[in-house]
Amino acid sequence: MKIAIHAITLNGAKQAQRLHRELPFADVFVTEVGAEQCPSASLLTLPLAQFIAPDFHHYDCHICLFATGIVSRIIAPLLQDKRHDPAVICVDDQGQFAIPMLSGHRGGANAMAQRVAQILKAMPVVTTASDVANTLSVDMMGATFGWTLDPQCEAAITSVSAAVVNEQPVLVVQQAGEKNWWPYKRTMPKHIYCHGELVGIDSDQWQGLVLISDLEKPDYYQSWQHKAVLWRPKSLVLGIGCDRNTPLSTIRAGVETFLTENNLSSDSVTAIASIALKADEEGLLAYSKQQQWPFVTYSAEQLSTVEGIENPSAYVEKITGVASVAEAAALKKSQTNKLLAAKWKFKQDGYNMTLACCRIEKEEALSKHNWKNWLGQQVKINAHGSEVVKGYQCKPKHIDLNRPMLYHRHHLLLCEGARCSKEGSKNLTHDLRAMLKEMNLASGDNRIKISRTLCAGACRNRATLVIYERLASHETPVNNGCWLRNIENLTMTQWRELFTALAGRVSLNSVLDPEFFAAIDYPETGSEDNIISGTQGLAQQ
């Protein structure tokens, strides 16, 4: 972001200097009266309107250290539209308030006002309804990930945004891209729902749609166009193979035809990939630069181990040393084993190309997944009138107080204390119990029992979990006494891998990254080996 800071008073210059220390790449302009307070600044000459107007659209953001009335009069004749106007933040010369005046969402003024307020220890005064309400921002939700808004949906942004803030039913359908676009650490408002597809959805029952898709013409989208915001995520990787010295025009034509025939959006392409033999291919390098798509290459050895190739070629293997280029490169870059569009051939002006495409699959933490309202899930109420999370019924109390506990192979104690619950562990136990039932690990010889606890006293590790094994006399512990941290960030796949490892008595070190293990500070008087053997003895008892 290219930033300009303007100050016209002595105190304003002092605040400008404070801002410049934290925003060193900003251009600072002060009048003569404040020059000594901000020696790194350039001279601001009056009248102010004539000074700012020529470079108003040259900057992405203007921070104005003077009254809102002055700012209003200066920028009024310069405004174009929200897609092109820069962010404008007004700060009083005492540094008490930071007010986004223009382009709060699309221009980033709201976020910059928060940053300015943090630097100056000021109060941010944000008036955008969706930001104040901590709800969905339909025109900014994908900006963090580099997504782009489809130009055809510009007219619908205002109406869908209004539906969100007026608590009218809005549907979010995501077919590709990053899943963690809901930024708040609380459940989504009840009038906003999420779903995976548009098929079977009656558009008349919804006031707005946010569609996240890498398809050029998404299925069932036509009936929504007047009230739909369409985001293009960066989710596609193109694998390319071509003859030596294939010209840029042929490469461009081949890619455009390939995307059209497979109904894929060029706005969703995030990279192109090929074999190392093509690392110096001028046409590919020029096309990469023109499209601003990174171009990556892999050696034949790297491509030979890729899984998911559908169309290997003996001829290609003879020439390059590997049976596939386009498919293998796309699979390698996207880190998946499934092709979205298999090998496709193109020829123009005597030059041959092959193309393939993969979609980068994204997962989100199970806890964050549950902050969203999912279409089709109904909240149930038990006999006592209490809400039951995710359809769980309240179990009746056992009449026989002497009934023995059910056998369990592993006992997991999961922290749902107050501070950790803010990070997403609240109600996580319910979802994990449902997963164990699905995996047939809620009963039988490998039963895994999960109990929720209050604060475990380890908040520095965020949400935590400790594992205890029930060991036979001849067994040695594998995961007994293991403490996990940051469990609110585990995805559904990672939870399944964790449970499978426990059931198979496999060390969790083989399925989880080190970031999920809590370090234990062993006392100086005893060795780690003694502590482990003591834990084993307790477990055997």
Side-chain angles (χ1 to χ4, degrees):
M1 179 177 281
K2 194 169 185 180
I3 303 170
I5 302 173
H6 310 277
I8 58 175
T9 65
L10 180 64
N11 284 325
K14 293 179 181 178
Q15 310 308 329
Q17 180 65 10
R18 292 173 63 189
L19 289 172
H20 197 218
R21 282 196 293 264
E22 299 297 326
L23 303 172
F25 298 105
D27 293 334
V28 184
F29 304 95
V30 302
T31 55
E32 289 184 359
V33 70
E36 292 185 3
Q37 300 297 329
C38 192
S40 60
S42 300
L43 181 63
L44 186 156
T45 58
L46 301 176
L48 193 55
Q50 293 182 14
F51 181 85
I52 291 178
D55 290 326
F56 182 68
H57 286 93
H58 177 70
Y59 289 96
D60 301 306
C61 177
H62 293 270
I63 302 174
C64 302
L65 291 146
F66 35 84
T68 57
I70 299 174
V71 175
S72 300
R73 291 186 180 91
I74 290 173
I75 68 175
L78 307 175
L79 303 185
Q80 296 179 2
D81 61 68
K82 64 172 63 178
R83 291 173 297 175
H84 301 100
D85 289 334
V88 177
I89 294 101
C90 182
V91 182
D92 64 286
D93 72 354
Q94 296 297 319
Q96 298 184 65
F97 303 99
I99 308 168
M101 297 280 291
L102 184 67
S103 297
H105 271 320
R106 302 287 285 276
N110 290 350
M112 180 55 71
Q114 298 280 356
R115 176 72 176 127
V116 168
Q118 181 184 37
I119 295 170
L120 299 180
K121 296 181 173 54
M123 172 79 69
V125 183
V126 178
T127 57
T128 305
S130 58
D131 284 358
V132 174
N134 288 340
T135 190
L136 183 66
S137 174
V138 302
D139 59 345
M140 285 297 291
M141 59 184 286
T144 304
F145 311 111
W147 301 357
T148 56
L149 281 166
D150 194 296
Q152 64 181 310
C153 74
E154 285 289 342
I157 290 176
T158 300
S159 62
V160 178
S161 298
V164 169
V165 299
N166 290 324
E167 301 184 1
Q168 296 174 318
V170 173
L171 182 65
V172 180
V173 173
Q174 182 163 14
Q175 299 172 346
E178 290 83 355
K179 304 292 181 64
N180 55 329
W181 43 262
W182 176 248
Y184 304 108
K185 296 175 182 178
R186 64 176 182 83
T187 304
M188 186 177 287
K190 293 182 178 180
H191 64 286
I192 303 175
Y193 283 84
C194 300
H195 199 50
E197 294 294 339
L198 281 176
V199 59
I201 306 296
D202 184 1
S203 61
D204 293 335
Q205 297 184 11
W206 301 89
Q207 292 299 312
L209 167 72
V210 178
L211 178 60
I212 307 164
S213 178
D214 53 19
L215 300 180
E216 181 63 30
K217 297 180 180 178
D219 296 335
Y220 307 99
Y221 176 64
Q222 295 301 320
S223 61
W224 294 83
Q225 285 193 351
H226 66 288
K227 55 180 178 182
V229 174
L230 178 57
W231 278 101
R232 300 298 193 183
K234 298 297 184 183
S235 56
L236 302 179
V237 174
L238 297 181
I240 298 180
C242 65
D243 290 339
R244 175 58 71 181
N245 298 322
T246 300
L248 172 61
S249 58
T250 300
I251 293 173
R252 184 191 304 111
V255 172
E256 291 175 354
T257 306
F258 172 77
L259 293 174
T260 299
E261 292 199 4
N262 288 282
N263 190 29
L264 300 173
S265 172
S266 61
D267 290 332
S268 288
V269 177
T270 187
I272 54 179
S274 189
I275 194 168
L277 293 172
K278 296 297 175 184
D280 60 349
E281 190 69 52
E282 292 185 3
L284 289 174
L285 293 171
Y287 188 66
S288 168
K289 183 177 181 180
Q290 182 184 86
Q291 296 295 118
Q292 293 295 293
W293 296 341
F295 176 43
V296 296
T297 60
Y298 301 98
S299 66
E301 291 76 13
Q302 289 175 302
L303 297 181
S304 65
T305 59
V306 170
E307 296 181 358
I309 296 171
E310 296 181 10
N311 299 283
S313 169
Y315 175 76
V316 172
E317 185 172 15
K318 180 180 178 180
I319 299 299
T320 66
V322 65
S324 171
V325 172
E327 289 186 348
L331 289 164
K332 180 70 174 178
K333 174 59 180 174
S334 60
Q335 298 184 349
T336 184
N337 59 5
K338 182 180 178 182
L339 291 165
L340 181 64
K343 179 180 175 180
W344 178 88
K345 298 179 180 180
F346 179 79
K347 186 173 183 178
Q348 179 176 290
D349 299 331
Y351 292 95
N352 296 285
M353 285 181 65
T354 56
L355 294 103
C357 182
C358 289
R359 176 181 287 150
I360 300 174
E361 300 294 341
K362 298 289 186 177
E363 277 196 285
E364 66 180 331
L366 178 61
S367 56
K368 293 180 173 63
H369 175 89
N370 292 329
W371 286 336
K372 300 172 183 175
N373 303 319
W374 294 94
L375 197 63
Q377 288 184 348
Q378 301 296 325
V379 176
K380 297 184 178 181
I381 305 298
N382 62 23
H384 305 286
S386 301
E387 180 179 306
V388 181
V389 178
K390 303 294 183 185
Y392 274 81
Q393 295 290 349
C394 184
K395 295 181 179 179
K397 292 184 178 179
H398 298 298
I399 302 301
D400 184 3
L401 298 181
N402 293 319
R403 177 177 176 175
M405 291 179 60
L406 292 176
Y407 172 84
H408 54 268
R409 181 62 158 162
H410 291 87
H411 192 183
L412 279 56
L413 303 180
L414 190 154
C415 174
E416 287 192 4
R419 284 177 62 186
C420 295
S421 66
K422 292 181 181 179
E423 294 299 316
S425 66
K426 187 177 181 181
N427 295 327
L428 184 57
T429 304
H430 283 293
D431 303 297
L432 296 180
R433 287 172 179 166
M435 187 182 295
L436 288 171
K437 288 183 179 180
E438 181 187 329
M439 298 175 68
N440 296 318
L441 294 175
S443 60
D445 294 341
N446 284 323
R447 181 187 176 219
I448 298 175
K449 176 181 174 65
I450 300 184
S451 299
R452 67 163 60 90
T453 73
L454 294 177
C455 181
C459 293
R460 69 178 66 87
N461 294 300
R462 306 317 306 163
T464 55
L465 177 149
V466 63
I467 300 168
Y468 293 108
E469 295 177 287
R470 187 181 298 278
L471 300 171
S473 59
H474 65 281
E475 292 178 326
T476 57
V478 177
N479 296 299
N480 192 42
C482 176
W483 278 80
L484 300 181
R485 63 179 180 176
N486 299 321
I487 62 170
E488 72 277 7
N489 293 325
L490 289 173
T491 67
M492 191 175 297
T493 299
Q494 289 171 317
W495 279 114
R496 291 184 186 278
E497 291 175 346
L498 185 154
F499 293 146
T500 300
L502 291 180
R505 300 200 73 234
V506 174
S507 173
L508 293 182
N509 289 290
S510 64
V511 297
L512 293 180
D513 294 331
E515 64 183 276
F516 293 110
F517 292 91
I520 297 177
D521 185 13
Y522 292 96
E524 296 179 359
T525 55
S527 69
E528 182 177 341
D529 292 337
N530 290 335
I531 293 173
I532 291 176
S533 62
T535 305
Q536 178 182 352
L538 288 172
Q540 291 174 347
Q541 294 175 16

